[in-house]
Amino acid sequence: MNFSISLYHRLCPVRGAGTARGCHTISRQCNSKLGGENMKSDKISEAVVRRLPVYLRFLNDLQKREISTVSSQELGQKLDLNPAQIRKDLAYFGDFGRKGIGYDVSYLIEKIRHILKLDQQINVALVGAGNLGHALSNYNAYLKDTMKITAVFDSYAPKIGQKINSLTVQPMEELGQTIRDQGIRIGIITVPDSEAQNVADILVESGIEAILNFAPVILKTPATIRIHAADFTTDLQSLAYYLHDGKEGITDEQQ
C-alpha cells in the first residue's frame, strides 16, 4: 500500500478534495510549507504528484540492482511515459539531472522521498479490522518504510483486543487520544459504506488531515481535509468496458 500522494497533500489541502481522481492544483503558499523553495512553478497538478511514487518505485529497483544513473529516455521506456513529461515533472521541484548524463539514482530517490515527505516518520491509523483491514495491516507490517499503520480501530466488540502482527485492535473510544499521542495525521477507512461517513467525521474531529477511503461511498468533509478513494468495484466495472464481446472475428456462417 502506497500513501505517498496523500502524504504530499496532507499539508496542502485544496477545495474539491473529495473527488478521488480530479485534477487539482497546489499553490506556491502550500509549496513553501513543503520546504520546496526550489519549486519552479506556482501550480503543480495532481497528475504530477501521482507520477512521483511511480518514479520512486522504479528508482528503488534500479538502486537494488546497483545502477547509479538513469536517463529520462530510459525512465520513459520502462514506465511507458514520455521522457519530456518526466523531465517536466521533475523540473517542477528542482534541477536534478545533468545533460548528457541523466539522473543520479540515489540523489533522485532522496529528493523524491523529501518531496513526498517520506524522509520522516509518518504514523497512520486504520479504522475497520475486517478482512481488508487485516490484509492492509499485515502487508504494512513488512514494509521497510517510514510510513506505517501504527494503530487499528474497530467498533465491533469481538474484534477489540485481537492482534494483527504487533498491533492490537483498539476500541473507537480510544481513537482520539491515540491519534494525539502518536501524532497521527492520516487515516484509512475500511468499514462498510453505511459506517464510512461517521468514521470520517470522527477522524476529522480527532485531527486527521488526510484520508484514504476504501468504502464505496463519497465522503463529505471540510475543504481542508484531503480525501483519496480506492474503490475496487468501480475500477473493475470500468475494466469491463474494454472486454471483447466475443463476436469479433466470427463469420456470418458461424453465427
PDB file of all heavy atoms in Angstrom, residues 2-3 5-6 13 30-31 51 53 58 76 88 90 93 106 121 123 133 147 183 187 199 207 212 215 218 224 252:
ATOM      1  N   ASN A   2       0.586   2.130  -0.885  1.00  0.00           N
ATOM      2  CA  ASN A   2       1.394   3.332  -1.005  1.00  0.00           C
ATOM      3  C   ASN A   2       0.535   4.549  -0.695  1.00  0.00           C
ATOM      4  O   ASN A   2      -0.455   4.795  -1.356  1.00  0.00           O
ATOM      5  CB  ASN A   2       1.941   3.436  -2.422  1.00  0.00           C
ATOM      6  CG  ASN A   2       3.016   4.484  -2.525  1.00  0.00           C
ATOM      7  OD1 ASN A   2       2.819   5.609  -2.098  1.00  0.00           O
ATOM      8  ND2 ASN A   2       4.145   4.123  -3.103  1.00  0.00           N
ATOM      9  N   PHE A   3       0.936   5.351   0.321  1.00  0.00           N
ATOM     10  CA  PHE A   3       0.171   6.520   0.731  1.00  0.00           C
ATOM     11  C   PHE A   3       0.878   7.811   0.353  1.00  0.00           C
ATOM     12  O   PHE A   3       0.597   8.868   0.886  1.00  0.00           O
ATOM     13  CB  PHE A   3      -0.042   6.503   2.244  1.00  0.00           C
ATOM     14  CG  PHE A   3      -0.504   5.187   2.760  1.00  0.00           C
ATOM     15  CD1 PHE A   3       0.237   4.503   3.684  1.00  0.00           C
ATOM     16  CD2 PHE A   3      -1.681   4.636   2.292  1.00  0.00           C
ATOM     17  CE1 PHE A   3      -0.185   3.278   4.156  1.00  0.00           C
ATOM     18  CE2 PHE A   3      -2.115   3.430   2.760  1.00  0.00           C
ATOM     19  CZ  PHE A   3      -1.361   2.740   3.693  1.00  0.00           C
ATOM     20  N   ILE A   5       0.872   9.913  -2.133  1.00  0.00           N
ATOM     21  CA  ILE A   5       0.136  11.057  -2.669  1.00  0.00           C
ATOM     22  C   ILE A   5      -0.606  11.778  -1.555  1.00  0.00           C
ATOM     23  O   ILE A   5      -0.578  12.998  -1.442  1.00  0.00           O
ATOM     24  CB  ILE A   5      -0.843  10.596  -3.757  1.00  0.00           C
ATOM     25  CG1 ILE A   5      -0.060   9.923  -4.894  1.00  0.00           C
ATOM     26  CG2 ILE A   5      -1.635  11.753  -4.295  1.00  0.00           C
ATOM     27  CD1 ILE A   5      -0.936   9.197  -5.869  1.00  0.00           C
ATOM     28  N   SER A   6      -1.278  11.017  -0.691  1.00  0.00           N
ATOM     29  CA  SER A   6      -1.954  11.633   0.442  1.00  0.00           C
ATOM     30  C   SER A   6      -0.961  12.372   1.322  1.00  0.00           C
ATOM     31  O   SER A   6      -1.261  13.426   1.869  1.00  0.00           O
ATOM     32  CB  SER A   6      -2.682  10.565   1.257  1.00  0.00           C
ATOM     33  OG  SER A   6      -3.748  10.017   0.530  1.00  0.00           O
ATOM     34  N   PRO A  13      -4.096  21.033   1.621  1.00  0.00           N
ATOM     35  CA  PRO A  13      -5.437  20.667   1.184  1.00  0.00           C
ATOM     36  C   PRO A  13      -5.987  21.688   0.214  1.00  0.00           C
ATOM     37  O   PRO A  13      -5.675  22.867   0.280  1.00  0.00           O
ATOM     38  CB  PRO A  13      -6.234  20.658   2.494  1.00  0.00           C
ATOM     39  CG  PRO A  13      -5.479  21.584   3.404  1.00  0.00           C
ATOM     40  CD  PRO A  13      -4.047  21.439   3.024  1.00  0.00           C
ATOM     41  N   CYS A  30       1.383  26.627  -0.434  1.00  0.00           N
ATOM     42  CA  CYS A  30       1.489  25.267   0.069  1.00  0.00           C
ATOM     43  C   CYS A  30       2.876  24.716  -0.185  1.00  0.00           C
ATOM     44  O   CYS A  30       3.423  23.991   0.638  1.00  0.00           O
ATOM     45  CB  CYS A  30       0.458  24.350  -0.610  1.00  0.00           C
ATOM     46  SG  CYS A  30      -1.229  24.645  -0.055  1.00  0.00           S
ATOM     47  N   ASN A  31       3.457  25.042  -1.334  1.00  0.00           N
ATOM     48  CA  ASN A  31       4.793  24.543  -1.644  1.00  0.00           C
ATOM     49  C   ASN A  31       5.796  25.010  -0.598  1.00  0.00           C
ATOM     50  O   ASN A  31       6.727  24.299  -0.245  1.00  0.00           O
ATOM     51  CB  ASN A  31       5.242  25.020  -3.021  1.00  0.00           C
ATOM     52  CG  ASN A  31       4.515  24.297  -4.124  1.00  0.00           C
ATOM     53  OD1 ASN A  31       3.997  23.206  -3.921  1.00  0.00           O
ATOM     54  ND2 ASN A  31       4.473  24.901  -5.301  1.00  0.00           N
ATOM     55  N   ARG A  51       2.461  10.716 -10.322  1.00  0.00           N
ATOM     56  CA  ARG A  51       3.540  10.025 -11.028  1.00  0.00           C
ATOM     57  C   ARG A  51       4.815   9.904 -10.186  1.00  0.00           C
ATOM     58  O   ARG A  51       5.636   9.019 -10.429  1.00  0.00           O
ATOM     59  CB  ARG A  51       3.852  10.742 -12.354  1.00  0.00           C
ATOM     60  CG  ARG A  51       2.802  10.504 -13.438  1.00  0.00           C
ATOM     61  CD  ARG A  51       3.275  10.998 -14.797  1.00  0.00           C
ATOM     62  NE  ARG A  51       3.311  12.438 -14.888  1.00  0.00           N
ATOM     63  CZ  ARG A  51       2.298  13.193 -15.316  1.00  0.00           C
ATOM     64  NH1 ARG A  51       1.158  12.623 -15.665  1.00  0.00           N
ATOM     65  NH2 ARG A  51       2.412  14.500 -15.400  1.00  0.00           N
ATOM     66  N   PRO A  53       5.408   8.764  -7.081  1.00  0.00           N
ATOM     67  CA  PRO A  53       5.638   7.446  -6.476  1.00  0.00           C
ATOM     68  C   PRO A  53       5.996   6.378  -7.505  1.00  0.00           C
ATOM     69  O   PRO A  53       6.698   5.414  -7.184  1.00  0.00           O
ATOM     70  CB  PRO A  53       4.294   7.125  -5.795  1.00  0.00           C
ATOM     71  CG  PRO A  53       3.660   8.460  -5.571  1.00  0.00           C
ATOM     72  CD  PRO A  53       4.065   9.284  -6.752  1.00  0.00           C
ATOM     73  N   PHE A  58      10.428   2.746  -9.316  1.00  0.00           N
ATOM     74  CA  PHE A  58      11.363   2.268 -10.332  1.00  0.00           C
ATOM     75  C   PHE A  58      12.799   2.595  -9.945  1.00  0.00           C
ATOM     76  O   PHE A  58      13.714   1.779 -10.117  1.00  0.00           O
ATOM     77  CB  PHE A  58      11.030   2.885 -11.688  1.00  0.00           C
ATOM     78  CG  PHE A  58      11.918   2.407 -12.801  1.00  0.00           C
ATOM     79  CD1 PHE A  58      11.836   1.106 -13.266  1.00  0.00           C
ATOM     80  CD2 PHE A  58      12.860   3.257 -13.358  1.00  0.00           C
ATOM     81  CE1 PHE A  58      12.674   0.660 -14.286  1.00  0.00           C
ATOM     82  CE2 PHE A  58      13.697   2.819 -14.374  1.00  0.00           C
ATOM     83  CZ  PHE A  58      13.595   1.514 -14.838  1.00  0.00           C
ATOM     84  N   GLY A  76      11.431   6.695 -19.386  1.00  0.00           N
ATOM     85  CA  GLY A  76      10.252   6.706 -20.238  1.00  0.00           C
ATOM     86  C   GLY A  76       9.966   5.355 -20.862  1.00  0.00           C
ATOM     87  O   GLY A  76       8.815   4.910 -20.922  1.00  0.00           O
ATOM     88  N   LYS A  88       9.825  17.284 -17.297  1.00  0.00           N
ATOM     89  CA  LYS A  88       8.988  18.409 -16.876  1.00  0.00           C
ATOM     90  C   LYS A  88       8.480  18.199 -15.453  1.00  0.00           C
ATOM     91  O   LYS A  88       8.481  19.131 -14.641  1.00  0.00           O
ATOM     92  CB  LYS A  88       7.806  18.553 -17.835  1.00  0.00           C
ATOM     93  CG  LYS A  88       6.898  19.738 -17.526  1.00  0.00           C
ATOM     94  CD  LYS A  88       5.782  19.847 -18.549  1.00  0.00           C
ATOM     95  CE  LYS A  88       4.854  21.006 -18.227  1.00  0.00           C
ATOM     96  NZ  LYS A  88       3.730  21.095 -19.199  1.00  0.00           N
ATOM     97  N   LEU A  90       9.823  16.463 -12.999  1.00  0.00           N
ATOM     98  CA  LEU A  90      10.892  16.631 -12.023  1.00  0.00           C
ATOM     99  C   LEU A  90      11.374  18.076 -11.941  1.00  0.00           C
ATOM    100  O   LEU A  90      11.776  18.547 -10.873  1.00  0.00           O
ATOM    101  CB  LEU A  90      12.061  15.703 -12.374  1.00  0.00           C
ATOM    102  CG  LEU A  90      11.746  14.201 -12.305  1.00  0.00           C
ATOM    103  CD1 LEU A  90      12.936  13.383 -12.795  1.00  0.00           C
ATOM    104  CD2 LEU A  90      11.358  13.794 -10.897  1.00  0.00           C
ATOM    105  N   PHE A  93      10.280  20.682  -9.310  1.00  0.00           N
ATOM    106  CA  PHE A  93      10.818  20.658  -7.958  1.00  0.00           C
ATOM    107  C   PHE A  93      12.300  21.004  -7.876  1.00  0.00           C
ATOM    108  O   PHE A  93      12.844  21.140  -6.783  1.00  0.00           O
ATOM    109  CB  PHE A  93      10.584  19.264  -7.350  1.00  0.00           C
ATOM    110  CG  PHE A  93       9.145  18.840  -7.374  1.00  0.00           C
ATOM    111  CD1 PHE A  93       8.657  18.048  -8.400  1.00  0.00           C
ATOM    112  CD2 PHE A  93       8.271  19.245  -6.381  1.00  0.00           C
ATOM    113  CE1 PHE A  93       7.324  17.664  -8.431  1.00  0.00           C
ATOM    114  CE2 PHE A  93       6.943  18.862  -6.404  1.00  0.00           C
ATOM    115  CZ  PHE A  93       6.465  18.075  -7.429  1.00  0.00           C
ATOM    116  N   SER A 106      20.547   7.560  -6.651  1.00  0.00           N
ATOM    117  CA  SER A 106      20.470   7.743  -5.195  1.00  0.00           C
ATOM    118  C   SER A 106      20.031   9.158  -4.831  1.00  0.00           C
ATOM    119  O   SER A 106      19.205   9.355  -3.929  1.00  0.00           O
ATOM    120  CB  SER A 106      21.824   7.440  -4.545  1.00  0.00           C
ATOM    121  OG  SER A 106      22.167   6.085  -4.721  1.00  0.00           O
ATOM    122  N   GLN A 121       9.088  10.105   9.738  1.00  0.00           N
ATOM    123  CA  GLN A 121       8.190   9.078  10.240  1.00  0.00           C
ATOM    124  C   GLN A 121       6.746   9.556  10.130  1.00  0.00           C
ATOM    125  O   GLN A 121       6.384  10.623  10.636  1.00  0.00           O
ATOM    126  CB  GLN A 121       8.511   8.752  11.701  1.00  0.00           C
ATOM    127  CG  GLN A 121       7.613   7.686  12.318  1.00  0.00           C
ATOM    128  CD  GLN A 121       7.788   6.323  11.666  1.00  0.00           C
ATOM    129  OE1 GLN A 121       8.910   5.938  11.331  1.00  0.00           O
ATOM    130  NE2 GLN A 121       6.707   5.597  11.474  1.00  0.00           N
ATOM    131  N   ASN A 123       2.939   8.215  10.917  1.00  0.00           N
ATOM    132  CA  ASN A 123       2.073   7.210  11.516  1.00  0.00           C
ATOM    133  C   ASN A 123       0.675   7.301  10.934  1.00  0.00           C
ATOM    134  O   ASN A 123       0.145   8.405  10.722  1.00  0.00           O
ATOM    135  CB  ASN A 123       2.019   7.384  13.031  1.00  0.00           C
ATOM    136  CG  ASN A 123       3.366   7.157  13.684  1.00  0.00           C
ATOM    137  OD1 ASN A 123       4.198   6.406  13.162  1.00  0.00           O
ATOM    138  ND2 ASN A 123       3.605   7.790  14.820  1.00  0.00           N
ATOM    139  N   GLY A 133      -8.983  -4.697   6.281  1.00  0.00           N
ATOM    140  CA  GLY A 133      -8.149  -4.054   7.289  1.00  0.00           C
ATOM    141  C   GLY A 133      -7.019  -4.949   7.747  1.00  0.00           C
ATOM    142  O   GLY A 133      -5.879  -4.499   7.919  1.00  0.00           O
ATOM    143  N   MET A 147       6.522   5.288   6.561  1.00  0.00           N
ATOM    144  CA  MET A 147       5.078   5.417   6.700  1.00  0.00           C
ATOM    145  C   MET A 147       4.487   4.065   7.064  1.00  0.00           C
ATOM    146  O   MET A 147       4.621   3.106   6.324  1.00  0.00           O
ATOM    147  CB  MET A 147       4.463   5.924   5.398  1.00  0.00           C
ATOM    148  CG  MET A 147       2.947   6.021   5.467  1.00  0.00           C
ATOM    149  SD  MET A 147       2.234   6.548   3.908  1.00  0.00           S
ATOM    150  CE  MET A 147       2.703   8.236   3.920  1.00  0.00           C
ATOM    151  N   GLY A 183       0.682  11.398  17.196  1.00  0.00           N
ATOM    152  CA  GLY A 183       0.843  12.426  16.155  1.00  0.00           C
ATOM    153  C   GLY A 183       0.372  11.943  14.796  1.00  0.00           C
ATOM    154  O   GLY A 183       0.946  12.303  13.756  1.00  0.00           O
ATOM    155  N   GLY A 187      -5.527   8.869   8.009  1.00  0.00           N
ATOM    156  CA  GLY A 187      -6.382   7.762   8.400  1.00  0.00           C
ATOM    157  C   GLY A 187      -6.791   6.933   7.194  1.00  0.00           C
ATOM    158  O   GLY A 187      -6.884   7.447   6.074  1.00  0.00           O
ATOM    159  N   VAL A 199     -17.327   7.405  10.490  1.00  0.00           N
ATOM    160  CA  VAL A 199     -15.910   7.208  10.804  1.00  0.00           C
ATOM    161  C   VAL A 199     -15.098   8.407  10.329  1.00  0.00           C
ATOM    162  O   VAL A 199     -14.207   8.893  11.039  1.00  0.00           O
ATOM    163  CB  VAL A 199     -15.384   5.909  10.156  1.00  0.00           C
ATOM    164  CG1 VAL A 199     -13.858   5.840  10.247  1.00  0.00           C
ATOM    165  CG2 VAL A 199     -16.002   4.696  10.831  1.00  0.00           C
ATOM    166  N   GLY A 207      -8.476  15.189  14.497  1.00  0.00           N
ATOM    167  CA  GLY A 207      -7.301  15.893  13.999  1.00  0.00           C
ATOM    168  C   GLY A 207      -6.659  15.313  12.756  1.00  0.00           C
ATOM    169  O   GLY A 207      -5.613  15.791  12.310  1.00  0.00           O
ATOM    170  N   LEU A 212      -7.508   7.981   3.326  1.00  0.00           N
ATOM    171  CA  LEU A 212      -7.575   7.040   2.209  1.00  0.00           C
ATOM    172  C   LEU A 212      -8.815   6.189   2.447  1.00  0.00           C
ATOM    173  O   LEU A 212      -8.877   5.424   3.414  1.00  0.00           O
ATOM    174  CB  LEU A 212      -6.319   6.170   2.156  1.00  0.00           C
ATOM    175  CG  LEU A 212      -6.252   5.134   1.022  1.00  0.00           C
ATOM    176  CD1 LEU A 212      -6.308   5.812  -0.342  1.00  0.00           C
ATOM    177  CD2 LEU A 212      -4.990   4.293   1.138  1.00  0.00           C
ATOM    178  N   ALA A 215     -14.086   2.548   1.372  1.00  0.00           N
ATOM    179  CA  ALA A 215     -15.533   2.314   1.339  1.00  0.00           C
ATOM    180  C   ALA A 215     -16.104   2.889   0.047  1.00  0.00           C
ATOM    181  O   ALA A 215     -15.716   3.972  -0.383  1.00  0.00           O
ATOM    182  CB  ALA A 215     -16.196   2.968   2.546  1.00  0.00           C
ATOM    183  N   ILE A 218     -18.939   8.339  -1.370  1.00  0.00           N
ATOM    184  CA  ILE A 218     -18.286   9.647  -1.420  1.00  0.00           C
ATOM    185  C   ILE A 218     -18.426  10.314  -0.060  1.00  0.00           C
ATOM    186  O   ILE A 218     -19.540  10.519   0.433  1.00  0.00           O
ATOM    187  CB  ILE A 218     -18.903  10.535  -2.517  1.00  0.00           C
ATOM    188  CG1 ILE A 218     -18.671   9.912  -3.886  1.00  0.00           C
ATOM    189  CG2 ILE A 218     -18.310  11.940  -2.471  1.00  0.00           C
ATOM    190  CD1 ILE A 218     -19.336  10.650  -5.026  1.00  0.00           C
ATOM    191  N   THR A 224     -10.591  21.481   4.029  1.00  0.00           N
ATOM    192  CA  THR A 224      -9.205  21.362   4.472  1.00  0.00           C
ATOM    193  C   THR A 224      -8.735  19.916   4.570  1.00  0.00           C
ATOM    194  O   THR A 224      -7.554  19.665   4.802  1.00  0.00           O
ATOM    195  CB  THR A 224      -9.038  22.015   5.852  1.00  0.00           C
ATOM    196  OG1 THR A 224     -10.005  21.457   6.757  1.00  0.00           O
ATOM    197  CG2 THR A 224      -9.231  23.522   5.757  1.00  0.00           C
ATOM    198  N   ASP A 252     -20.208 -14.818 -40.668  1.00  0.00           N
ATOM    199  CA  ASP A 252     -21.669 -14.904 -40.755  1.00  0.00           C
ATOM    200  C   ASP A 252     -22.128 -16.359 -40.648  1.00  0.00           C
ATOM    201  O   ASP A 252     -23.150 -16.678 -40.074  1.00  0.00           O
ATOM    202  CB  ASP A 252     -22.171 -14.287 -42.057  1.00  0.00           C
ATOM    203  CG  ASP A 252     -21.984 -12.784 -42.055  1.00  0.00           C
ATOM    204  OD1 ASP A 252     -21.855 -12.204 -40.960  1.00  0.00           O
ATOM    205  OD2 ASP A 252     -21.947 -12.191 -43.141  1.00  0.00           O
TER     206      ASP A 252
END
